Amino acid sequence: MRQYFVFFIFGIILAFSSCRTDFDTVASTGDLKFSKDTVYLDTIFKNIGSSTYQLKVYNRSKNDISIPIIQLKKGLNSKYRMTVDGMSGNNGKIFNDVTLLAKDSLYIFIETTADITDANPVDFLYTDEIQFDSGANLQEVALVTLIQDAVFLFPQQNPDGTKEKIQIDGKAVDGFYLDENNPENGNELIFTNQKPYVIYGYAGVPEDKTVIFNAGARVHFHANSGLYVGDKASIQINGGISNTEKLENEVIFEGDRLESLYSGIPGQWKSVILSTQSINHSINHLTIKNAVIGLDIKTQNNPISIKNTQIFNCAQYGILAQNSEINGENIVINYSGLASLSCLYGGSYSFTHCTFNNNWPSSSQFAVNLSNALAGASPEANPLTKAVFNNCIIYGSGINEFNLSKNTNAAFVYQLNNCLLKFSSSSTNLLYQFKTDTEHYNNIILNENPRFYKPSENKFNIDKTSAAFAKGNQTYIIPLDILGVTRTSPPDLGAYQSQDFPK
């Protein structure tokens, strides 16, 4: 009886199988649909691979079809490469007899690596097409990539196969020293606006030398890379006021991934490090984006001027200073994993018309952190001889954006004058008596909204509805704001003079 039942079930399965048509395919008739007719792969540097981009292909018909060929028009010579539904085909260029079921779709993932010589010499675009089928059934989707030429700076390879290294804080890291007589690049200590620069590893500034960044210079750091200004070395950043949103005269430090996907991702590269014995630094109109630490300042006994500078999207700190001396004007910092500004182990600091904000999405970060101690240091405490904030905004998405950490074994001198400050929790700590402690706090606007224009886009302009409007003290005024706009009297707080927002 069991045998008859088994044969019965087998017969049913066989009958249904013979009726199915979805194992049979018909030739494609050129009626494929696509998620886009052109795939734009964002700008890349020459010979640096792009991100992966997606194209979806649809079969709207009731038939399972076979696409005889999917290929790049330039064939095996194309600088693009694809996978089609997980298949690599012939070197990612040519795919034969691809099946696409009825009412179904397939994914094509596209990448490219190309040289500037591959691009059109007029517009520097590299293009190709993905071809589906041929002849009367041919359908095409265009591929477009902008390739940017650049100066590449990187460690040399040693004879034993290891990379060149430099010493930073007693550790050997992949890096090299900039050469003022480089046979290929010329003077590497002068960065111009002629071409962008791409740095691999740490670029070091040699002792007794100064690295200069001219207005409009663009510097892109690869992962785990940075700039190291060593002992007796200097940095001068000579950016200028720009007239358009392209920031044509700004000096910009950022990562080397140019795709829009990476525009706001923190931690894409390491840091600009100013060593303990480095000297004579001047920074004006610098924008730093997407580092681990924007400016890692260890310089001692040598004042540093930082003016008209923006630092955004750092995984740890916008500015981290240790026992340093900084004079800061028109500085804007936002979105930092630990603190936008952190001044540790004492030092001397003066910040005027600055906007320190932190919209990092958790509650343990600060816009400003001050401390006169450092764990593991000897001695552990060091005098904070001055920390003065004039006409500043200290704000963010957290409850308290201002943090003081005082060690009683060393001086801790601080003062806030005419500042808008976010500190929402009540505190009996004597360090935070904003209304009654006139030695440390004068004319503090507490927990009022500065009404920034678009903080999610790092635009911290204000208008007349802001709580920071006309609340500054004329005594501390910096005549021009970060955009070069003349400040009125009384001035607004923060780095921006108020203007009407665009409609």
Side-chain angles (χ1 to χ4, degrees), residues 395 420 445-452 465-468:
Y395 202 76
L420 188 154
I445 301 171
L446 199 61
N447 300 321
E448 293 192 31
N449 194 339
R451 298 180 64 84
F452 296 128
T465 66
S466 171

Side-chain angles (χ1 to χ4, degrees), residues 467-483:
F469 172 71
K471 297 298 194 303
N473 189 323
Q474 185 70 20
T475 303
Y476 312 118
I477 192 171
I478 305 298
L480 301 181
D481 78 352
I482 191 171
L483 300 177

Side-chain angles (χ1 to χ4, degrees), residues 8 13 23 36 68 98 120 134 143 148 158 177 245 261 270 316 319 337 358 374 381 419 451 456:
F8 176 75
I13 294 173
F23 293 112
K36 55 190 77 174
V98 178
N120 183 314
S134 59
L143 304 176
Q148 194 164 2
N158 296 318
Y177 282 101
E245 290 188 355
L261 173 66
K270 288 289 190 179
Q316 294 181 9
I319 294 178
N358 200 349
L374 185 64
C419 292
R451 298 180 64 84
S456 62

Side-chain angles (χ1 to χ4, degrees), residues 22-44:
D22 57 313
F23 293 112
D24 299 321
T25 61
V26 299
S28 171
T29 58
D31 293 322
L32 298 171
K33 304 298 180 183
F34 307 102
S35 58
K36 55 190 77 174
D37 57 13
T38 302
V39 179
Y40 295 96
L41 287 78
D42 285 341
T43 304
I44 62 169

